[in-house]
């Protein structure tokens, strides 16, 4: 008797799963072997069509038919996937035994997928070190003690960045067979966030290749968003972003190669973008255009340090915030509008003349206008301090087309819409988890990062690295260059403080 090919044994196994009570044996049939599998598929197809016709005849409306058909296909999917998992488990049996594992028993497990609950049995193995494990669960990335498949966790976490946990629970209940509470959704978000943090640890091994791309113009911006805490205090989310200019036509434009760096610690966000600039780009070949509101931690000196070594750094004070400053501190609305126009035209003499007019109007009744006079003095100091950063694009000898700055505010929206509306308040753990997921989505790397269990990747690297007694044996990449040692004087106060002035003197800035 001819030996039966392995592929036909697979067909027989599938046939037995699909038709467990059928007496037809495809290997004793007189039908040519190449037609057997097509016959099996056709028989299954006919059964499905018969079932759909029966459901249609029993339904009183199109809506009822659609609901019943949907339930039928969900049940079909879960049943067939369970059969496949059990078949897959049997395929790994010989490999596991050859590696010295011993089968203890077969246990049943239910896992909730996007189309329903899949129940299957898989083998429990004991390895040579007497450690118990389910090999199939490890292959499929089904974590111990978790009810939901990786795809469910990934998609639920994405929906949770656009809606509250309660709203997400409602959406899932209406559109999918997934049953999960708002608390369960929060746990999924925290779990995904932990995996994203592990990716950050994985990057510490130095496996990121230095690309040193040459880009003529880079746009760097920074700002902070205030997030309300559960104790009614405010915590600031610090954001830096970098891109290579606009692409697209008309109003449908977006930033090319946009990369965001967010953290509730400004120093951490700063260090991330600092490292990225030096691994991704060849800075000495790039002109950097920077923009911010000039607030604490986002002054011009910060961006000059950040882009140290660039071909040229041009800092722009954000126009909206400058205009807002004038309107809030000038007592006369009409003169405030004229002052804004003078700033736009970059006419310092005109600015001084309007400031003097505002001051003379207030001095006439100095007693009652003490507060307004103080606000005007603050405005005068603000404009004098930032005058060179208010210089318009057209006067800066820049050859590239205008545009690309001022987008940091619009990129606040994914964070502010989810975390600031309707009086929402956050705990430290929850807000950090939500921010990490939104940032991964904004950088278009969420799917890539969730495709791996980074804790396992770190373990694999630790096994390959020589034993040093450290938790991690960081691997360094020799790219033929040696970084210049650098240091920074932290200054959490204004640039005009004693420490700020001392820092300027050291850097040779006036």
């Amino acid at each position: 008797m001819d030996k039966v090919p392995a592929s036909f044994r697979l067909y027989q196994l599938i046939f037995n799963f699909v038709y467990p009570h059928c007496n037809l044996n495809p290997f004793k049939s007189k039908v040519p072997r190449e037609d057997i599998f097509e016959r099996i598929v056709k028989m299954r197809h006919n059964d499905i069509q018969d079932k759909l016709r029966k459901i249609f005849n029993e339904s009183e409306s199109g809506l009822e038919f659609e609901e019943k058909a949907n339930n039928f296909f969900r049940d079909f999917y879960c049943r067939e996937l369970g059969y496949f998992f059990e078949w897959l488990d049997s395929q790994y049996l010989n490999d596991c035994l050859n590696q010295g594992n011993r089968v203890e028993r077969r246990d049943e497990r239910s896992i909730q997928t996007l189309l329903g609950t899949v129940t299957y049995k898989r083998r429990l193995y004991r390895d040579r070190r007497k450690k118990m494990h389910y090999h199939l669960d490890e292959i499929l990335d089904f974590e111990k003690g978790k009810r939901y498949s990786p795809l469910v966790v990934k998609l639920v976490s994405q929906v949770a960045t656009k809606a509250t946990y309660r709203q997400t629970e409602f959406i899932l209940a209406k559109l999918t067979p997934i049953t999960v509470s708002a608390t369960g959704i929060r746990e999924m978000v925290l779990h995904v966030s932990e995996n994203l943090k592990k990716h950050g640890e994985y990057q510490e091994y130095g496996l990121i290749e230095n690309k040193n791309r040459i880009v003529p113009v880079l746009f760097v911006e920074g700002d902070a968003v205030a997030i309300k805490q559960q104790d009614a205090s405010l915590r600031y989310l610090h954001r830096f972003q970098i891109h290579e200019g606009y692409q697209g036509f008309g109003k449908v434009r977006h930033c090319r190669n946009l990369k965001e760096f967010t953290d509730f610690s400004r120093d951490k966000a700063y260090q991330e973008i600092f490292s990225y600039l030096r691994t991704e780009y060849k800075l000495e070949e790039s002109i950097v255009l920077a923009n911010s509101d000039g607030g604490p931690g986002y002054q011009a000196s910060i961006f000059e340090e950040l882009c140290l070594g660039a071909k040229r750094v041009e800092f722009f004070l954000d126009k909206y915030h400058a205009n807002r400053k004038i309107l809030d501190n000038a007592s006369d609305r009409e003169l405030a509008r004229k002052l804004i126009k003078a700033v736009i035209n970059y006419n310092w003499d005109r600015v001084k003349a309007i400031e003097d007019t505002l001051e003379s109007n207030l001095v006439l009744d100095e007693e009652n206008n003490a507060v307004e006079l103080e606000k005007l003095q603050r405005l005068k100091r603000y404009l004098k301090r930032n005058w060179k950063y208010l210089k318009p694009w057209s006067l800066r000898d820049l050859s590239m087309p205008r545009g690309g700055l001022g987008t940091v505010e619009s990129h606040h929206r994914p964070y502010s819409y989810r975390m600031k509306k309707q009086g929402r308040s956050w705990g430290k753990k929850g807000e950090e988890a939500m921010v990490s997921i939104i940032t991964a989505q904004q950088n278009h790397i969420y799917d890539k990062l969730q495709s791996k269990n980074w804790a396992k990747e770190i373990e694999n690297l630790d096994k390959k690295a020589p034993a040093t007694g450290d938790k991690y044996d960081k691997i360094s990449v020799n790219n033929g260059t040696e970084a210049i040692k650098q240091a920074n004087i932290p200054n959490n106060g204004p640039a005009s403080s004693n420490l700020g002035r001392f820092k300027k003197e050291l850097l040779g800035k006036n």
Side-chain angles (χ1 to χ4, degrees), residues 362-412:
L362 294 173
V363 169
L364 294 175
D365 191 5
E366 188 173 351
E367 236 178 81
N368 296 326
N369 294 326
V371 175
E372 294 297 331
L373 275 169
E374 178 59 32
K375 289 169 67 176
L376 178 60
Q377 293 304 318
R378 285 202 302 267
L379 176 60
K380 290 170 70 175
R381 291 193 297 269
Y382 173 83
L383 291 175
K384 184 178 180 180
R385 184 172 65 249
N386 293 293
W387 184 244
K388 65 178 179 179
Y389 307 126
L390 291 167
K391 191 175 184 178
W393 186 296
S394 58
L395 300 178
R396 295 203 187 209
D397 191 26
L398 296 171
S399 58
M400 68 286 299
R402 185 174 179 176
L405 289 175
T407 63
V408 68
E409 294 286 344
S410 61
H411 287 113
H412 280 338

Side-chain angles (χ1 to χ4, degrees), residues 214-231:
I214 297 176
V215 178
V217 184
L218 292 173
F219 297 82
V220 180
E221 300 184 62
D223 201 2
V225 183
I227 306 296
K228 186 179 178 181
Q229 304 298 288
Q230 291 177 344
D231 61 359

Side-chain angles (χ1 to χ4, degrees), residues 295-309:
Y298 299 96
Q299 302 97 328
S301 58
I302 298 295
F303 287 91
E304 289 167 359
E305 293 170 11
L306 179 64
C307 306
L308 192 65

Side-chain angles (χ1 to χ4, degrees), residues 171-410:
I171 293 169
L172 293 173
K174 293 300 179 184
L175 298 180
T176 72
I178 299 172
T179 55
V180 56
S181 64
T183 304
I185 294 170
R186 180 179 180 274
E187 290 301 317
M188 288 187 190
V189 170
L190 294 176
H191 178 72
V192 169
S193 174
E194 283 300 315
N195 192 39
L196 297 180
K197 287 180 181 177
K198 289 295 181 183
H199 175 258
E201 293 182 19
Y202 180 82
Q203 288 182 312
E204 293 179 9
Y205 279 79
L207 299 180
I208 302 174
E209 181 184 357
N210 287 358
K211 296 182 180 178
N212 290 327
R213 292 196 297 120
I214 297 176
V215 178
V217 184
L218 292 173
F219 297 82
V220 180
E221 300 184 62
D223 201 2
V225 183
I227 306 296
K228 186 179 178 181
Q229 304 298 288
Q230 291 177 344
D231 61 359
S233 64
L234 293 178
R235 191 181 182 201
Y236 286 90
L237 173 65
H238 297 276
R239 295 187 56 253
F240 287 96
Q241 69 175 40
I242 181 171
H243 65 89
E244 299 168 15
Y246 284 140
Q247 65 182 22
F249 299 96
K251 294 183 179 180
V252 185
R253 296 189 298 172
H254 61 275
C255 298
R256 185 188 302 111
N257 294 329
L258 175 68
K259 180 78 172 178
E260 297 186 11
F261 306 86
T262 59
D263 204 286
F264 285 95
S265 166
R266 194 201 68 88
D267 290 342
K268 287 184 180 178
Y270 178 91
Q271 289 301 326
E272 286 180 10
I273 188 173
F274 186 91
S275 300
Y276 180 79
L277 279 168
R278 281 149 185 80
T279 56
E280 184 72 15
Y281 301 106
K282 196 171 183 180
L283 269 183
E284 56 268 26
E285 300 292 335
S286 300
I287 296 174
V288 179
L289 304 182
N291 177 80
S292 80
D293 59 5
Y298 299 96
Q299 302 97 328
S301 58
I302 298 295
F303 287 91
E304 289 167 359
E305 293 170 11
L306 179 64
C307 306
L308 192 65
K311 184 177 180 181
R312 179 181 171 189
V313 180
E314 287 286 341
F315 178 79
F316 292 78
L317 189 68
D318 188 71
K319 186 188 298 183
Y320 169 80
H321 289 91
N323 294 344
R324 188 77 260 164
K325 193 83 169 180
I326 294 171
L327 291 171
D328 290 343
N329 290 280
S331 56
D332 188 301
R333 207 69 171 176
E334 184 63 30
L335 287 174
R337 284 193 285 269
K338 291 181 180 179
L339 184 56
I340 290 173
K341 187 175 181 180
V343 170
I344 293 173
N345 293 331
Y346 204 61
N347 188 335
W348 180 248
D349 292 336
R350 179 63 175 158
V351 168
K352 290 295 292 179
I354 296 172
E355 287 177 347
D356 292 341
T357 304
L358 285 167
E359 187 171 6
S360 62
N361 291 342
L362 294 173
V363 169
L364 294 175
D365 191 5
E366 188 173 351
E367 236 178 81
N368 296 326
N369 294 326
V371 175
E372 294 297 331
L373 275 169
E374 178 59 32
K375 289 169 67 176
L376 178 60
Q377 293 304 318
R378 285 202 302 267
L379 176 60
K380 290 170 70 175
R381 291 193 297 269
Y382 173 83
L383 291 175
K384 184 178 180 180
R385 184 172 65 249
N386 293 293
W387 184 244
K388 65 178 179 179
Y389 307 126
L390 291 167
K391 191 175 184 178
W393 186 296
S394 58
L395 300 178
R396 295 203 187 209
D397 191 26
L398 296 171
S399 58
M400 68 286 299
R402 185 174 179 176
L405 289 175
T407 63
V408 68
E409 294 286 344
S410 61

Side-chain angles (χ1 to χ4, degrees), residues 48-61 64-73:
I48 292 172
Q49 292 299 313
D50 291 340
K51 181 65 177 177
L52 288 175
R53 281 190 285 269
K54 183 180 178 182
I55 291 173
F56 179 78
N57 293 331
E58 293 174 352
S59 301
E60 296 181 358
S61 65
E64 183 181 350
F65 166 71
E66 189 174 354
E67 288 177 342
K68 289 182 177 179
N70 185 43
N71 292 334
F72 164 71
F73 279 111

Side-chain angles (χ1 to χ4, degrees), residues 95-232:
D95 289 341
C96 289
L97 294 177
N98 292 336
Q99 293 171 6
N101 295 291
R102 190 178 72 183
V103 178
E104 291 292 314
R105 60 179 184 270
R106 291 182 73 216
D107 294 331
E108 188 175 85
R109 182 178 186 179
S110 294
I111 194 85
Q112 195 155 15
T113 67
L114 198 60
L115 292 180
T117 303
V118 176
T119 302
Y120 63 97
K121 286 185 177 181
R122 76 277 196 231
R123 291 170 177 82
L124 175 66
Y125 292 96
R126 183 195 294 271
D127 62 18
R128 292 172 179 173
R129 294 173 296 176
K130 297 186 178 180
K131 185 179 178 181
M132 312 289 278
H133 67 281
Y134 294 99
H135 185 71
L136 181 65
D137 290 353
E138 293 175 355
I139 293 297
L140 297 173
D141 290 328
F142 293 162
E143 297 185 34
K144 182 180 179 181
K146 302 293 183 182
R147 290 179 50 203
Y148 303 97
S149 71
L151 179 61
V152 169
V153 174
K154 171 191 164 184
L155 296 179
V156 169
S157 299
Q158 283 184 297
V159 175
T161 63
K162 304 297 182 184
T164 65
Y165 296 147
R166 293 288 179 192
Q167 291 170 339
T168 303
E169 177 186 0
F170 177 79
I171 293 169
L172 293 173
K174 293 300 179 184
L175 298 180
T176 72
I178 299 172
T179 55
V180 56
S181 64
T183 304
I185 294 170
R186 180 179 180 274
E187 290 301 317
M188 288 187 190
V189 170
L190 294 176
H191 178 72
V192 169
S193 174
E194 283 300 315
N195 192 39
L196 297 180
K197 287 180 181 177
K198 289 295 181 183
H199 175 258
E201 293 182 19
Y202 180 82
Q203 288 182 312
E204 293 179 9
Y205 279 79
L207 299 180
I208 302 174
E209 181 184 357
N210 287 358
K211 296 182 180 178
N212 290 327
R213 292 196 297 120
I214 297 176
V215 178
V217 184
L218 292 173
F219 297 82
V220 180
E221 300 184 62
D223 201 2
V225 183
I227 306 296
K228 186 179 178 181
Q229 304 298 288
Q230 291 177 344
D231 61 359

